[in-house]
């Protein structure tokens, strides 16, 4: 019986390791990608496809693309609870996409990001300076 329990733990641990290495999350989260049309994720919120044929960017509240140096990005729901959806360092080529609003976004290097809110690319922030954005609710 103890051998079966140990084997079960080993299998579950191996599956978790494979998921961690492959970048496949066990929980729902924002879409992240190392390429503009990829998928994956991690964090809270609802995932959504990055395929523009099935999900036009104008309908998506927030898309964040890292186009410069790695930077730490924090995305939280802009309500009384302030649930943090993402708090991590992102690298060049990473993409986050969120299907909910309102959201608050802060990046340690705003110049590293291209931020698109409801299909509109936001003005670039100065490189090396903190960047902040707000995504309002369109309902």
């Amino acid at each position: 019986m103890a051998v079966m329990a140990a084997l079960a733990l080993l299998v579950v641990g191996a599956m978790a390791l494979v998921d961690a290495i492959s970048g496949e999350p066990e929980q729902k989260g924002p879409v992240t990608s190392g390429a503009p049309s990829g998928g994956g994720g991690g964090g809270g919120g609802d995932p959504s496809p990055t395929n523009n044929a099935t999900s036009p960017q104008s309908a998506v509240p927030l898309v964040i693309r890292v186009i410069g140096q790695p930077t730490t990005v924090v995305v939280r729901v802009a309500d009384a609870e302030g649930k943090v959806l993402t708090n991590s360092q992102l690298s060049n080529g990473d993409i986050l996409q969120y299907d909910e609003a309102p959201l608050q976004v802060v990046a340690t290097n705003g110049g590293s990001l291209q931020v698109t809110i409801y299909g509109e690319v936001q003005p670039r922030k100065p490189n090396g300076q903190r960047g902040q954005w707000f995504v309002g609710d369109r309902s």
Side-chain angles (χ1 to χ4, degrees):
M1 205 58 162
V3 172
M4 293 300 281
L7 183 60
L9 286 174
L10 183 63
V11 169
V12 170
M15 289 173 44
L17 180 61
V18 168
D19 285 346
I21 291 172
S22 69
E24 297 292 326
E26 289 186 25
Q27 61 187 19
K28 292 184 178 181
V31 173
T32 61
S33 172
S37 62
D46 293 328
S48 64
T50 56
N51 181 347
N52 291 338
T54 59
S55 177
Q57 283 191 355
S58 61
V60 177
L62 176 64
V63 178
I64 299 171
R65 286 183 176 82
V66 182
I67 58 174
Q69 297 177 342
T71 185
T72 299
V73 176
V74 177
V75 179
R76 69 179 59 208
V77 178
D79 63 7
E81 294 177 24
K83 177 181 174 187
V84 175
L85 303 177
T86 299
N87 183 1
S88 60
Q89 183 167 350
L90 304 177
S91 299
N92 191 314
D94 285 347
I95 298 173
L96 297 178
Q97 180 171 312
Y98 298 86
D99 290 327
E100 62 184 289
L103 299 170
Q104 294 174 325
V105 180
V106 177
T108 55
N109 182 358
S112 287
L113 301 182
Q114 177 186 56
V115 176
T116 305
I117 299 175
Y118 292 110
E120 292 185 33
V121 176
Q122 302 302 297
R124 248 342 253 281
K125 303 292 183 183
N127 195 33
Q129 293 184 9
R130 177 182 166 124
Q132 296 183 336
W133 298 266
F134 180 77
V135 180
D137 194 359
R138 276 207 167 170
S139 48

